[in-house]
């Protein structure tokens, strides 16, 4: 049984490594496409600033957007 598990895990490792072999690097002319705002993980910048403001107001600290909060939601 242990031999079967060992062979199965070795086969899975080989398949994983062979899948990584097909990854090609990004070409310089493709980097402009990846730099578009639609390609970010958080695409809505206004919504992100609003959520950061709410978070900093709840925590009673200043966020990374330059807004100073006292915990009450005011500036």
């Amino acid at each position: 049984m242990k031999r079967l598990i060992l062979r199965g895990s070795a086969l899975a490792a080989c398949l994983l490594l062979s899948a990584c072999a097909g990854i090609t690097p990004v070409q310089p002319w493709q980097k402009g496409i990846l730099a578009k705002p639609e390609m970010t993980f958080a695409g809505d910048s206004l919504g992100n600033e609003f959520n950061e403001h709410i978070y900093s107001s709840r925590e009673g600290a200043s966020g990374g957007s330059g807004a100073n909060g006292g915990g009450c939601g005011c500036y």
Side-chain angles (χ1 to χ4, degrees):
M1 185 67 182
K2 287 184 179 182
R3 193 175 211 177
L4 182 64
I5 292 173
L6 183 62
R7 284 187 183 185
S9 61
L11 179 65
C14 288
L15 287 174
L16 182 65
L17 287 175
S18 67
C20 292
I23 298 174
T24 59
V26 178
Q27 300 298 323
W29 58 85
Q30 295 171 329
K31 291 181 181 180
I33 297 170
L34 295 175
K36 290 185 177 181
E38 301 91 45
M39 297 297 288
T40 60
F41 290 115
D44 185 20
S45 62
L46 184 62
N48 291 338
E49 288 181 22
F50 178 72
N51 288 336
E52 189 175 326
H53 173 72
I54 297 297
Y55 178 76
S56 65
S57 297
R58 286 183 182 168
E59 292 294 320
S62 63
S65 63
N68 297 327
C72 62
C74 56
Y75 289 106

